[in-house]
Amino acid sequence: MDGKIQKVGVEMQESALYEFTCSSGHESKIYITNPKYDILFEAGLQAISEGYYREAVFNFSASLERFYEYYMVALMLYSGNNYKDEDFQEIWKRLEKQSERQLGAFWMLYYGIFGKLPLFFDNKYLKEHGLRLYVKDNDPIYFRNIVTHQGHFPTYNQAVAYGEAINRYMYYLKTLHKKPLRQNSFTFYQSLSTAQHIMFFRIPRVAYVPGAPSRWSFPTFINDIWATHEGDYSEEYFVYKNLIDKFPLQS
């Protein structure tokens, strides 16, 4: 009533439609358009800031898995085939509870479309990019498994380094293949944008809700640095503005 901006806290939820009421009694509805991997990564950063390093690793890992799903939709669109999302979802039902099957599907789909090996998220990748997890063999799969299945309590440095490794990996994949395939006028960037739109409308209660006039993408670490960076993947860029800048490694 007095023209001041009010902050209203809402809980994170599965639905993209958020409904809330301010202290003056005004009801509002808004769609959050951030992809799930983006929100999960931000939750990982929040967990680090509050000292919950196991939870940070869980969220970073889940972010990468949801990125694979999103990326596979983009791969199918980019392939030039007659993509039908209902068919993709029918196949995905057989994969959604088994992360290893999802990863295998991603590898084979990538190879089938581009005719070359994908960039594997492994100790070789970390070594090539100067990343260190402070665990046996510097292996991100081993690290994730001991945290998830063996109750390992990661250190602050391990959680930060794991998040940074996933951040770089997802960014690298997203900035590849800018030219269209011969059988498709889409660039891969256009396919990624279309995939995000498709997955947004999969979310419960996204369509046909009266009184929800706007969509909003809230600022996160990922959509800030990915949106403002121009050009190809750059080591120098991530040295300047990366996860370590936000949460410095402790000596």
Side-chain angles (χ1 to χ4, degrees):
M1 300 294 291
D2 56 6
K4 293 182 179 180
I5 297 175
Q6 296 184 19
K7 292 183 178 180
V8 179
V10 294
E11 292 184 346
M12 193 60 67
Q13 60 186 34
E14 278 297 306
S15 172
L17 177 64
Y18 284 78
E19 303 176 70
F20 52 92
T21 304
C22 75
S23 59
S24 300
H26 300 124
E27 296 181 354
S28 299
K29 298 178 181 179
I30 191 168
Y31 287 128
I32 299 298
T33 61
N34 298 69
K36 202 166 190 178
Y37 67 83
D38 181 10
I39 296 173
L40 286 165
F41 195 92
E42 193 71 10
L45 294 179
Q46 185 65 34
I48 287 178
S49 71
E50 296 176 4
Y52 297 106
Y53 308 137
R54 275 178 57 81
E55 288 72 12
V57 171
F58 296 157
N59 281 312
F60 290 144
S61 180
S63 173
L64 179 57
E65 290 186 4
R66 297 287 59 76
F67 182 82
Y68 283 139
E69 179 185 4
Y70 155 71
Y71 201 85
M72 281 190 277
V73 172
L75 286 173
M76 291 298 298
L77 291 165
Y78 186 57
S79 71
N81 294 325
N82 185 23
Y83 176 85
K84 294 181 180 178
D85 195 53
E86 59 270 25
D87 293 343
F88 182 95
Q89 291 188 67
E90 186 63 31
I91 297 172
W92 192 256
K93 288 177 184 178
R94 275 80 172 165
L95 305 176
E96 62 182 353
K97 295 182 180 179
Q98 296 174 298
S99 58
E100 289 300 318
R101 288 189 177 184
Q102 294 175 28
L103 187 56
F106 161 69
W107 287 341
M108 296 306 294
L109 185 57
Y110 186 101
Y111 181 75
I113 291 175
F114 296 122
K116 61 181 179 180
L117 293 176
L119 178 68
F120 297 113
F121 186 61
D122 55 14
N123 50 0
K124 181 181 177 182
Y125 160 78
L126 264 65
K127 182 179 180 180
E128 289 177 349
H129 293 84
L131 298 164
R132 187 177 164 207
L133 290 181
Y134 312 95
V135 294
K136 177 183 177 182
D137 298 329
N138 203 36
D139 187 344
I141 306 302
Y142 169 80
F143 175 67
R144 174 194 175 277
N145 287 342
I146 62 172
V147 172
T148 304
H149 303 301
Q150 298 179 28
H152 174 76
F153 286 97
T155 65
Y156 174 92
N157 285 2
Q158 287 173 329
V160 168
Y162 185 66
E164 173 64 355
I166 287 178
N167 166 43
R168 293 195 191 198
Y169 180 73
M170 293 192 299
Y171 180 81
Y172 182 87
L173 286 176
K174 197 168 183 180
T175 54
L176 292 175
H177 312 297
K178 294 187 176 182
K179 294 181 180 179
L181 293 175
R182 290 181 180 178
Q183 67 271 31
N184 191 351
S185 60
F186 264 23
T187 64
F188 193 57
Y189 176 79
Q190 290 171 313
S191 299
L192 288 165
S193 298
T194 303
Q196 185 166 322
H197 178 80
I198 287 172
M199 297 193 74
F200 172 72
F201 279 98
R202 287 184 187 175
I203 302 172
R205 300 177 63 201
V206 153
Y208 314 115
V209 178
S214 61
R215 300 176 188 174
W216 183 63
S217 177
F218 66 85
T220 64
F221 174 81
I222 277 184
N223 69 23
D224 174 46
I225 67 165
W226 289 6
T228 56
H229 177 55
E230 295 181 359
D232 294 329
Y233 172 78
S234 165
E235 284 289 337
E236 290 74 22
Y237 173 72
F238 280 101
V239 168
Y240 167 69
K241 189 176 186 182
N242 63 7
L243 184 59
I244 309 302
D245 290 337
K246 191 167 185 178
F247 299 105
L249 287 174
Q250 298 170 342
S251 58

